[in-house]
Amino acid sequence: MTANAETDYDLEEEVDSHLRRIFYIKPKCDSPKCNPYIVEYFGVLSLKDLRAPERKLWVIYFCKQPELDKTVGEIHQKYGKKNMFDLYRTPVFSGAALRASVKKHFSELKWFTNGNLLEAPPKSHFNDERVVKTITDLHHLEQQRLYNYIMVKHMWFHRYK
């Protein structure tokens, strides 16, 4: 039943609004806050410092798909296009969460983490392949957490249906 005039009365909508008030449930959102069809990406760029070649640097970033080229272009402009290359890029559920997880992991390893820049300590055994493997493992862990959360909610829903 659609309410297209003032005289039309939508009983389902009215009951729904009253039940939401009675049981303190949030009202329905009119429109979704984000577009689910726009993919968010997380990436890592390897950075070579020409002034100090023994330094091992990586730049992490996350952005939505339409802003990907702009974000990578800004990073290239800031650090120099010749000195870096794209090491890792993957679509993620939440780029901010994965970025926080990556920064936390590497800061616990006593790395220098400043903004989006990761720097391995001197005489570190980390190289590009090892950084990619670590970030891939962290991404897999994030996906596993999301899957477990969804499955627990699913089981709870079916148990109390």
Side-chain angles (χ1 to χ4, degrees):
M1 182 171 173
T2 60
N4 53 1
E6 285 185 26
T7 58
D8 289 344
Y9 182 74
D10 191 359
L11 180 64
E12 289 179 27
E13 187 176 317
E14 192 68 27
V15 169
D16 183 53
S17 68
H18 284 296
L19 287 175
R20 286 181 182 279
R21 273 190 246 131
I22 291 171
F23 293 109
Y24 301 104
I25 300 173
K26 292 181 182 178
K28 288 183 181 177
C29 294
D30 293 335
S31 62
K33 296 177 183 173
C34 62
N35 187 351
Y37 301 108
I38 296 179
V39 179
E40 190 166 350
Y41 280 91
F42 176 84
V44 179
L45 297 167
S46 179
L47 178 62
K48 302 293 180 203
D49 191 359
L50 297 176
R51 295 170 288 183
E54 67 277 353
R55 286 178 73 191
K56 299 173 186 173
L57 300 166
W58 293 273
V59 179
I60 57 176
Y61 65 92
F62 68 93
C63 61
K64 300 224 182 273
Q65 188 174 9
E67 304 157 358
L68 190 61
D69 293 333
K70 179 184 160 203
T71 303
V72 172
E74 288 173 357
I75 294 172
H76 280 218
Q77 185 178 9
K78 184 175 182 179
Y79 295 107
K81 192 171 187 173
K82 292 185 217 173
N83 304 335
M84 63 177 27
F85 61 93
D86 206 355
L87 192 61
Y88 180 81
R89 184 184 296 172
T90 186
V92 293
F93 178 73
S94 171
L98 185 58
R99 177 184 177 265
S101 174
V102 167
K103 282 186 70 168
K104 180 182 176 205
H105 175 78
F106 284 116
S107 65
E108 288 174 356
L109 294 175
K110 307 296 185 225
W111 279 38
F112 307 109
T113 57
N114 185 11
N116 288 341
L117 196 63
L118 301 173
E119 182 177 353
K123 299 180 183 173
S124 173
H125 58 278
F126 269 85
N127 57 9
D128 289 342
E129 292 83 22
R130 189 128 187 224
V131 169
V132 168
K133 183 184 179 325
T134 304
I135 292 174
T136 303
D137 291 344
L138 291 171
H139 180 241
H140 178 68
L141 205 76
E142 186 82 15
Q143 286 180 324
Q144 189 67 41
R145 272 190 232 124
L146 287 170
Y147 176 78
N148 290 342
Y149 175 76
I150 290 170
M151 291 310 296
V152 165
K153 289 293 185 180
H154 178 72
M155 294 299 290
W156 181 82
F157 177 74
H158 278 294
R159 183 175 297 156
Y160 299 106
K161 192 159 112 173

